[in-house]
Amino acid sequence: MFPPFTLTRQTVLARLFQTLRAGHRWLGIAGCLLFLMWFLSGLVMSVVGFPSLTDAERLRGLAPLDGSLLRVTPDAALRAAGAHNFPRKLWLESLVREDGSREPVWRMVLADGSRHTVSAQTGTRIDAVDVARAEAIARAFAGALHTRWTGTVERDQWTVLATLDRQRPFHRIALDDAAGTELYISARSGEVVRDTSRRERLWNWLGAVPHWFYFTPLREKSDLWRQTLLWVSGICCLSALSGLVLGLQRLRRQSPFSPFIGWMKLHHMAGLGGGLFVLAWMVSGWLSMSPGDWLRNTPPGKAAMARYTGSVAPEFPWPQQRATLDALLSETGWKDIQLYWVDGHARMTLTNGEGYRRALDLPGFDHPDVTEQHAETVARALLPDARINAIERLTAEDAWWYGRRDPKELPVWRVQMEDPAETWVHIDALDGRLLGTMDRDARLRRWLFNAPHAFEIPALSARPALRWSLMWLAAFAGIAVSLSAVVIAARRLTR
């Protein structure tokens, strides 16, 4: 007869740790190079971000509006574009012609996301921009004497984002300057949508491209790209968690604290010193992909936006006093004029090249008074069934309302609503526009992703040198763990 088999607590723990060691070993072998790549590329990204055209850069590059050329009203432009409702966004800016002269154009984004451009001088639609005009636009935008067309691309490494799909293809124009600048200009509308420099392109091959898996053949398939990142980073999270557990299990209470020597000892001690950061950094990166649509902010729906604007008809009360309008447009070199509805009021906001803004009600050119009562009215229109918990006026950035690359709009009204999603509504205190909503998931994402992954912690916001020092120190601990894992994996595989 066989002796009775008893499963003791010690036996269960021994087998559990044996399985954990085997799992960590092979997960580490499979993912050690990924860990090392993520930490090194993360350091590069902290210095050089992915190429983008900021709003400040766009405004600096635009030519000032010439009011004397403005002959087409917003209503006529909307009819020319075939708009049946007031668009999601409508603005006026200048567009350069082949000969270097400029014409004002109405640009709009309709409810379905389609984009249209109509000349505000002639009323004709602009649906195509040739190479000669694209080069003229690039010269005016950058103040360059010489430009060189390098091709028309549907999609390349720096224009992979789905947000640019409605503006493809792009003329790529090289400025032949010392920085190696290239501009991407929509062949449909003539908008400058991206600028890159030689330094950005070089360092991003070591930074954002590998870090985010931004390889064009993969990134253009959004669902496949997202699932790939979720599964790869999720498996690496398990590797980091198992390593932290095993590191604590093998820790000795007295010197020498580690039973290992050489690279194994470095891996053990660096893992204990930086293990929590490595785990938090990996898990926060995984959460940034919103697995299961968790931590994804839900914007207001169409019905809510219709209540907020107070008008969806494709008409807009444009001022008839030509002299007054010309005087206004010649004031300070306005470069962008946004038209919109807020609570049934037609309004426009003018912005110059330095970012200075001025808001006016139409058609009478009155200055809007965006009071606390207005903020409450807008919030109630968005969420009519919700109570208001609090209203505050922000004059400086805080833990929730802050800019990552560009400063955020200020001052701002924040209205905290008592709805199932615990929504916060942010309203521009200058012109009353809705700047965005932030629900419970968005605020949770701020602490589960932004804080641990990029060290965006309120206590460090006024101490950038300390923030950078802590971030780099933690990253070097992660590099030590990853590099030692690579050496250990190579030795095991070559035995």
Side-chain angles (χ1 to χ4, degrees):
M1 294 182 62
F2 294 101
F5 177 74
T6 58
L7 202 62
T8 64
R9 178 173 177 271
Q10 289 78 7
T11 304
V12 172
L13 287 176
R15 292 185 179 180
L16 176 62
F17 280 111
Q18 183 180 7
T19 303
L20 202 60
R21 280 193 296 273
H24 180 69
R25 177 185 302 127
W26 293 109
L27 286 175
I29 289 173
C32 59
L33 287 174
L34 281 171
F35 273 93
L36 184 60
M37 177 274 293
W38 271 321
F39 283 112
L40 290 173
S41 60
L43 285 181
V44 173
M45 289 176 64
S46 69
V47 179
V48 183
F50 192 74
S52 67
L53 185 74
T54 66
D55 196 51
E57 290 172 333
R58 183 186 74 87
L59 286 170
R60 283 196 299 269
L62 288 174
L65 285 161
D66 185 348
S68 65
L69 303 176
L70 183 58
R71 300 187 179 94
V72 178
T73 65
D75 293 358
L78 292 174
R79 287 194 297 271
H84 301 293
N85 293 300
F86 194 78
R88 186 190 306 170
K89 186 176 180 182
L90 175 65
W91 73 102
L92 182 70
E93 65 180 44
S94 286
L95 184 63
V96 174
R97 296 188 180 93
E98 294 89 336
D99 59 3
S101 62
R102 63 184 189 268
E103 65 175 323
V105 294
W106 290 108
R107 299 196 188 277
M108 62 196 77
V109 181
L110 303 188
D112 61 0
S114 61
R115 304 174 72 97
H116 303 274
T117 301
V118 176
S119 171
Q121 185 175 7
T122 64
T124 58
R125 290 183 56 158
I126 299 174
D127 296 319
V129 171
D130 60 19
V131 173
R133 189 167 192 179
E135 288 201 65
I137 291 169
R139 285 192 294 271
F141 187 88
L145 296 177
H146 304 287
T147 58
R148 178 168 47 89
W149 176 74
T150 62
T152 300
V153 298
E154 184 70 26
R155 187 190 307 267
D156 70 359
Q157 194 61 53
W158 317 118
T159 58
V160 294
L161 299 181
T163 52
L164 299 175
D165 285 351
R166 298 283 190 168
Q167 294 164 286
R168 305 182 191 280
F170 305 109
H171 295 302
R172 190 170 60 200
I173 310 294
L175 302 185
D176 288 336
D177 57 357
T181 306
E182 291 185 350
L183 299 180
Y184 288 79
I185 297 172
S186 172
R188 293 185 177 184
S189 65
E191 288 184 76
V192 180
V193 301
R194 178 77 81 241
D195 65 338
T196 72
S197 67
R198 186 185 301 109
R199 173 177 175 269
E200 285 179 322
R201 295 190 296 271
L202 172 64
W203 282 108
N204 266 275
W205 281 109
L206 303 174
V209 173
H211 194 88
W212 290 335
F213 289 14
Y214 264 22
F215 306 104
T216 305
L218 176 62
R219 184 60 183 88
E220 66 182 352
K221 300 176 178 63
S222 296
D223 290 339
L224 177 61
W225 166 77
R226 181 172 177 271
Q227 290 301 320
T228 300
L229 260 183
L230 275 173
W231 280 100
V232 171
S233 60
I235 292 171
C236 288
C237 288
L238 296 178
S239 177
L241 177 60
S242 60
L244 184 60
V245 173
L246 288 171
L248 292 171
Q249 186 253 341
R250 300 303 295 271
L251 179 65
R252 291 174 174 174
R253 295 184 179 181
Q254 296 178 342
S255 182
F257 299 105
S258 175
F260 305 108
I261 60 172
W263 285 98
M264 281 293 294
K265 183 174 183 178
L266 174 62
H267 187 68
H268 185 203
M269 299 312 294
L272 286 173
L276 280 176
F277 163 72
V278 171
L279 180 61
W281 201 70
M282 288 302 304
V283 172
S284 61
W286 179 71
L287 288 173
S288 72
M289 301 302 296
S290 299
D293 286 336
W294 192 46
L295 302 185
R296 193 185 294 275
N297 191 44
T298 303
K302 290 183 179 180
M305 292 303 295
R307 292 192 300 270
Y308 151 71
T309 59
S311 175
V312 295
E315 287 89 26
F316 196 85
W318 193 240
Q320 300 301 316
Q321 306 94 330
R322 183 73 201 197
T324 306
L325 183 61
D326 288 348
L328 174 67
L329 293 180
S330 63
E331 273 184 2
T332 182
W334 302 113
K335 294 190 174 185
D336 179 285
I337 299 179
Q338 304 273 341
L339 303 186
Y340 49 94
W341 289 94
V342 179
D343 189 32
H345 297 284
R347 194 165 289 168
M348 69 176 178
T349 296
L350 305 93
T351 310
N352 68 8
E354 287 72 45
Y356 169 75
R357 296 181 301 146
R358 182 180 176 187
L360 295 170
D361 277 326
L362 294 177
F365 294 108
D366 299 317
H367 291 275
D369 186 14
V370 185
T371 62
E372 180 177 327
Q373 182 179 358
H374 170 85
E376 180 178 342
T377 301
V378 170
R380 289 191 186 281
L382 288 170
L383 298 165
D385 299 327
R387 290 177 49 197
I388 293 178
N389 279 335
I391 302 180
E392 59 180 322
R393 190 174 187 269
L394 305 179
T395 57
E397 295 185 355
D398 67 358
W400 309 100
W401 188 256
Y402 66 96
R404 307 191 72 182
R405 290 191 66 175
D406 288 337
K408 298 290 280 187
E409 296 91 337
L410 287 170
V412 165
W413 286 105
R414 174 184 290 156
V415 186
Q416 300 180 23
M417 309 297 290
E418 190 177 316
D419 63 314
E422 298 179 11
T423 305
W424 290 3
V425 180
H426 288 100
I427 299 161
D428 194 315
L430 173 71
D431 56 27
R433 279 185 297 174
L434 174 68
L435 297 177
T437 60
M438 182 182 292
D439 60 20
R440 186 192 314 107
D441 278 0
R443 295 194 295 277
L444 190 58
R445 178 190 175 93
R446 187 256 180 275
W447 294 112
L448 294 183
F449 169 64
N450 300 78
H453 208 77
F455 281 54
E456 293 177 4
I457 302 169
L460 300 177
S461 61
R463 301 174 178 87
L466 178 60
R467 173 177 173 264
W468 283 94
S469 299
L470 291 175
M471 185 165 57
W472 278 63
L473 181 64
F476 276 117
I479 291 171
V481 175
S482 307
L483 182 60
S484 58
V486 170
V487 175
I488 295 166
R491 288 179 174 178
R492 175 166 288 276
L493 292 174
T494 54
R495 281 179 186 176

